[in-house]
Amino acid sequence: LKADVPAASIFKIVAAAAAIEARNFTPDRTLTYRGGKYTLYKSQLRQDKGEYLNRISFKGAFSGSINPVFGKIGIYDLGKDLISQYAERFFFNREIPFDLPLAVSSVEVPLDDFGLAEIASGFNKRTLLSPLHAAMITSAIANNGIMMKPWIITDIRDESDRILYHAGPLKLANPISRETASQMQILMRDTVTHGTCRKAFRPLQRRKTFENITLGAKSGTINDITGTYKYDWLTAYALPQKENDHSGICIAVLAVHGEKLGIRAKDMVREILNYHFTS
């Protein structure tokens, strides 16, 4: 319920959705970057042209979590207004109604170019996110653009078993269109098949149980300000393709590692998914 941990590359979901919906990006669009995949230097953010640039598809940049690509998208395609608009659509800087007190996930979008690059790529420690909110963002992708209201208490009854309170599925917002969600699902599936979750999710894809289940995910890692801890995110969905099968699930796991790496978030999610669909 706390929102005191950097969102890291989970924010790339918001930036990618904004690029698709507002700037007509497609999964196969070719983009370029200079230098390393996971660094973010000012020299990597120039609009250079040349044979020595690395080329990658938009879905590859998302699934591989390529920071300089998203940094350039933040500067040259989105800007402060669009990043702010789509962050708000996905309920950053807004209260989310819930049965328990839920901290507000926060983002401060600056005006300078490098600040925009940091925000769009998730390469900063000022964009803060709660695990519950991360699961909600993923659910909006899985639910074809609809974000549902989170709830935990189903019924409250009195001594006579009369229902005093009842809750159920309730739409909270439409942060993106169905078409944008469909394109985002392509990006998140590529994360599982070719991107940062490929090795961790490979055991699931080999099992017969998961033959008709669509998996999508986004990972994120970043150190804390002091360098003492490593924050390790994985948010994912698993959707059965059989008609009338409502066992689909969205998950967000935040693992915090100290001097030594413990069990990674992506491995936890894999085990949770396996348990959910086989138990």
Side-chain angles (χ1 to χ4, degrees):
L1 301 179
K2 293 182 179 179
D4 55 1
V5 171
S9 287
I10 301 302
F11 196 82
K12 284 187 174 81
I13 297 176
V14 177
I20 290 170
E21 189 156 284
R23 291 293 182 254
N24 299 315
F25 273 54
T26 61
D28 294 325
R29 178 169 176 167
T30 299
L31 302 167
T32 62
Y33 67 98
R34 179 184 297 277
K37 296 180 179 180
Y38 308 122
T39 53
L40 192 71
Y41 300 114
K42 290 182 179 180
S43 60
Q44 293 180 279
L45 301 174
R46 297 194 300 262
Q47 284 287 57
D48 292 339
K49 295 181 180 180
E51 58 182 312
Y52 299 109
L53 291 175
N54 300 304
R55 287 171 170 76
I56 193 169
S57 68
F58 182 45
K59 69 179 179 182
F62 179 90
S63 66
S65 210
I66 311 301
N67 286 329
V69 171
F70 273 83
K72 289 166 71 175
I73 290 172
I75 295 170
Y76 302 110
D77 298 289
L78 299 180
K80 182 181 189 300
D81 289 344
L82 276 177
I83 294 175
S84 300
Q85 176 186 334
Y86 277 84
E88 184 177 345
R89 287 190 182 192
F90 278 99
F91 272 78
F92 279 86
N93 297 335
R94 298 173 65 184
E95 290 190 3
I96 297 173
F98 188 50
D99 299 336
L100 300 171
L102 178 61
V104 173
S105 298
S106 59
V107 61
E108 298 177 14
V109 185
L111 287 171
D112 67 286
D113 284 354
F114 191 73
L116 292 173
E118 285 186 313
I119 295 290
S121 63
F123 199 72
N124 78 91
K125 298 178 175 67
R126 300 182 305 279
T127 302
L128 305 178
L129 179 66
S130 69
L132 176 55
H133 190 189
M136 291 175 63
I137 291 170
T138 300
S139 75
I141 307 301
N143 287 329
N144 298 317
I146 299 173
M147 182 181 283
M148 303 298 289
K149 177 183 179 296
W151 54 284
I152 190 169
I153 298 171
T154 305
D155 293 315
I156 298 176
R157 300 169 182 263
D158 64 11
E159 297 87 343
S160 304
D161 205 36
R162 290 180 301 177
I163 296 177
L164 304 179
Y165 171 85
H166 174 75
L170 184 66
K171 174 180 172 181
L172 179 64
N174 252 109
I176 53 176
S177 68
R178 172 182 286 269
E179 293 75 17
T180 299
S182 178
Q183 298 290 292
M184 286 297 303
Q185 289 168 18
I186 294 174
L187 271 56
M188 295 188 73
R189 287 200 300 269
D190 201 65
T191 304
V192 172
T193 57
H194 297 95
T196 57
C197 297
R198 176 176 55 87
K199 291 182 180 179
F201 278 48
R202 188 182 295 158
L204 295 182
Q205 296 175 305
R206 290 174 175 171
R207 295 174 187 170
K208 189 173 182 180
T209 304
F210 287 84
E211 283 182 354
N212 297 308
I213 295 176
T214 300
L215 301 170
K218 185 71 191 81
S219 62
T221 57
I222 197 167
N223 292 333
D224 76 321
I225 295 175
T226 65
T228 305
Y229 302 107
K230 179 183 287 293
Y231 300 119
D232 173 23
W233 285 99
L234 197 284
T235 180
Y237 63 78
L239 302 177
Q241 298 306 302
K242 292 182 180 179
E243 194 172 351
N244 298 321
D245 186 338
H246 302 297
S247 61
I249 186 173
C250 290
I251 304 172
V253 167
L254 168 66
V256 183
H257 307 278
E259 186 176 338
K260 296 182 179 180
L261 286 177
I263 300 174
R264 298 298 302 272
K266 59 186 72 174
D267 296 320
M268 292 189 202
V269 169
R270 182 191 63 238
E271 295 305 319
I272 292 170
L273 290 175
N274 184 57
Y275 180 84
H276 177 71
F277 287 105
T278 60
S279 63

